[in-house]
Amino acid sequence: MHRTATFALYQLTIALGILLMPVALLARRVGVRLPVDRMVEAAGAAYERAGVERRTD
């Protein structure tokens, strides 16, 4: 169940990152950097950890 929820969160984060791409590009022109890439990387790392924990159980 935990791995499934983490996968859903990861997929939602990727979709959010794609949807926020135009906003992030406009913000970068103004000089503001949105941490969307870090958010996606953190969700991906959590999903990978959930997969590793399940295999060792």
Side-chain angles (χ1 to χ4, degrees), residues 36-55:
V36 175
D37 57 336
R38 290 186 291 181
M39 187 172 58
V40 171
E41 289 175 9
Y47 175 64
E48 288 177 7
R49 281 194 309 272
V52 170
E53 290 171 3
R54 180 171 175 90
R55 281 183 255 147

Side-chain angles (χ1 to χ4, degrees), residues 2-50:
H2 179 268
R3 186 172 185 213
T4 304
T6 307
F7 179 70
L9 179 63
Y10 177 59
Q11 292 296 315
L12 181 64
T13 305
I14 289 174
L16 183 64
I18 291 169
L19 290 174
L20 285 176
M21 180 74 76
V23 176
L25 292 174
L26 288 173
R28 183 181 284 179
R29 283 187 166 207
V30 175
V32 178
R33 183 155 187 233
L34 298 178
V36 175
D37 57 336
R38 290 186 291 181
M39 187 172 58
V40 171
E41 289 175 9
Y47 175 64
E48 288 177 7
R49 281 194 309 272

